[in-house]
Amino acid sequence: MSTENTIELKKTVPQAEDFLPLLGTDYVELYVGNAKQAAYYYQQAWGFQPVAYSGLETGSKDRVSYVLQQDKIRLVLTSPIQPGGDINRHIDLHGDGVKIVALWVDDARKSYEETTKRGAKSYVEPYELNDEHGQVVLSGIHTYGETVHMFVERKNYSGPFMPGYKEYKPNFKTKETGLKYIDHMVGNVGWNEMNKWCEFYAKVMGFAQLVSFDDKDISTDYTALMSKVMSNGNGRIKFPINEPAEGKKKSQIEEYIDFYHGAGVQHIAVATDNIIETVTNLRDRGVEFLYVPEAYYDDVLDRVGEIDEDLAPLKELGVLIDRDDEGYLLQIFTKPVLDRPTMFFEIIQRKGAQSFGKGNFKALFEAIEREQNLRGTL
Ligand code: FE2
């Protein structure tokens, strides 16, 4: 079933309708078992900087949250501090994982109205939070699985994060690793659910489909998946949606769904301007990346043509290379960063290319299959 590169990218004309102008990703909130230690990991290993804290000291009786930031990427790590609540149940079922993909908007009330009237299921109606730094307006809708989109309006706010948080200033300091912004965030959904969720992003949020891949594009001898990439009008928010496809063995998407117990965020792709420096740094600090066989590099330059970087450090780190008609890109994938084989990160450096590394799918999935094999879940 070696059918790679036999199907052309099926590009559709973007028709995003901007009834929901999005300024960017505001924050990504993970529900985790131990936010204090997760915050240390993301600072020490990834170079995120401390921003804000909420907990008993700020009047939060049931949860604690640490807010970290690196350039435009803001992470919120939240743990319950009492038994039996919604966050506990979420962690019990899913393990650590992304609960909220928050979107930065000018008008959280209008964002809520426009999306709910188009069929979005409400998570929380618009509400205001106020403190001495001003006002934040929030609202939220459900997306795939138990994942939520919050709309965050902060044009009248000047505090560190939002009301209810105070500045978080540990003595411990780490250097950043060159991560700049979230390039895309991928959702894994169940069998035959990809189109349903792509329609959700098109109809409810006004996104357009950039590109799609089917199991002919994305299959190895064993596993297969299908994927479509949805983008908002200004291209700042890109959400590829994956679903499993039939293969000889269990696909990585099925493994994810089995361990996450439903649909959820599979990977967060973060951009850098210097992938060699960033990945060298991350690796030295304890981030684990997927292994790429040396043979990948034997003919990669025949496939992608000339690149600015020396091949040797890319090979040494296991960075993958792909080219489209606009340029090329460099990308690498971490192993899952949680206890379960669920969420991972991608580091990506774009040199003109606006695609997602289709030429690397086979090498990438074979690398993932080696890991699945070790876990006995292939
Ligand atoms: Fe990706």
Side-chain angles (χ1 to χ4, degrees):
M1 201 165 60
S2 180
T3 48
E4 46 164 348
N5 299 329
T6 57
I7 300 282
E8 287 304 301
L9 298 188
K10 288 166 216 145
K11 284 193 179 167
T12 58
V13 180
Q15 294 170 326
E17 187 192 330
D18 245 352
F19 56 79
L20 180 65
L22 300 175
L23 305 171
T25 308
D26 194 276
Y27 65 90
V28 177
E29 181 165 357
L30 286 90
Y31 283 175
V32 298
N34 188 331
K36 180 180 267 190
Q37 293 194 0
Y40 177 76
Y41 168 75
Y42 284 106
Q43 290 175 87
Q44 173 61 16
W46 289 83
F48 281 87
Q49 303 297 307
V51 173
Y53 166 83
S54 158
L56 290 171
E57 298 83 347
T58 65
S60 169
K61 302 250 186 299
D62 65 340
R63 65 175 71 186
V64 58
S65 295
Y66 291 83
V67 183
L68 307 175
Q69 187 157 353
Q70 187 163 179
D71 204 328
K72 293 189 173 64
I73 312 161
R74 188 153 46 198
L75 290 183
V76 181
L77 303 158
T78 296
S79 287
I81 50 175
Q82 296 292 336
D86 275 353
I87 306 173
N88 309 65
R89 188 200 49 75
H90 197 278
I91 295 169
D92 181 49
L93 183 64
H94 303 296
D96 290 5
V98 172
K99 174 63 181 179
I100 295 171
V101 178
L103 302 168
W104 178 29
V105 297
D106 255 338
D107 189 337
R109 288 184 185 84
K110 182 162 181 290
S111 303
Y112 181 85
E113 280 164 25
E114 294 289 346
T115 50
T116 51
K117 88 176 180 204
R118 287 174 171 82
K121 190 174 145 207
S122 173
Y123 175 68
V124 57
E125 287 182 18
Y127 65 102
E128 296 168 3
L129 294 173
N130 295 284
D131 70 7
E132 70 273 26
H133 302 294
Q135 182 183 74
V136 172
V137 186
L138 297 160
S139 61
I141 59 169
H142 288 273
T143 178
Y144 49 77
E146 288 203 273
T147 315
V148 165
H149 288 310
M150 290 294 290
F151 298 117
V152 184
E153 172 188 329
R154 53 171 71 256
K155 58 179 184 272
N156 298 314
Y157 195 68
S158 60
F161 181 54
M162 58 176 70
Y165 287 77
K166 65 171 191 179
E167 215 176 334
Y168 170 43
K169 277 185 165 170
N171 290 323
F172 170 67
K173 292 268 182 301
T174 67
K175 282 209 177 100
E176 297 197 344
T177 55
L179 303 176
K180 313 275 288 185
Y181 59 89
I182 294 178
D183 186 276
H184 58 277
M185 281 187 79
V186 180
N188 280 346
V189 301
W191 292 94
N192 305 314
E193 286 194 340
M194 176 182 69
N195 284 330
K196 173 182 139 186
W197 288 106
C198 289
E199 273 161 33
F200 167 86
Y201 281 106
K203 185 175 142 237
V204 169
M205 298 186 63
F207 283 34
Q209 186 183 322
L210 283 186
V211 62
S212 79
F213 311 97
D214 63 22
D215 54 340
K216 312 266 187 326
D217 296 309
I218 316 181
S219 70
T220 65
D221 287 344
Y222 293 127
T223 63
L225 66 85
M226 295 197 280
S227 186
K228 283 184 179 172
V229 181
M230 303 303 290
S231 171
N232 81 318
N234 61 22
R236 290 186 198 174
I237 310 289
K238 292 190 202 82
F239 293 144
I241 306 287
N242 296 333
E243 73 174 29
E246 283 299 342
K248 278 188 205 156
K249 294 198 178 180
K250 185 185 279 194
S251 79
Q252 47 156 321
I253 312 301
E254 280 178 273
E255 186 197 35
Y256 176 101
I257 303 268
D258 284 357
F259 278 90
Y260 199 72
H261 292 269
V265 171
Q266 178 211 37
H267 76 265
I268 304 174
V270 287
T272 172
D273 288 337
N274 188 334
I275 201 165
I276 295 174
E277 250 179 54
T278 294
V279 174
T280 302
N281 208 335
L282 291 170
R283 200 174 66 165
D284 289 348
R285 294 161 70 151
V287 177
E288 294 182 307
F289 292 93
L290 287 180
Y291 164 78
V292 179
E294 288 195 359
Y296 171 87
Y297 296 92
D298 291 348
D299 58 358
V300 68
L301 293 183
D302 299 337
R303 180 165 63 80
V304 302
E306 211 171 289
I307 56 170
D308 301 334
E309 293 73 16
D310 288 334
L311 192 61
L314 299 175
K315 179 176 173 178
E316 206 268 315
L317 295 167
V319 173
L320 305 169
I321 313 157
D322 197 24
R323 184 179 286 278
D324 62 23
D325 43 17
E326 294 174 275
Y328 70 97
L329 63 82
L330 304 161
Q331 63 184 169
I332 189 169
F333 298 83
T334 71
K335 294 184 181 179
V337 293
L338 315 163
D339 296 320
R340 302 188 196 188
T342 53
M343 193 191 83
F344 58 89
F345 284 86
E346 170 183 352
I347 317 296
I348 184 165
Q349 182 178 2
R350 293 188 181 278
K351 312 269 297 227
Q354 294 304 314
S355 51
F356 295 85
K358 175 190 163 192
N360 290 321
F361 287 163
K362 191 174 165 70
L364 171 64
F365 294 160
E366 285 171 352
I368 292 174
E369 283 165 16
R370 279 191 290 279
E371 299 285 324
Q372 280 185 269
N373 199 28
L374 292 173
R375 294 191 283 263
T377 58
L378 182 63

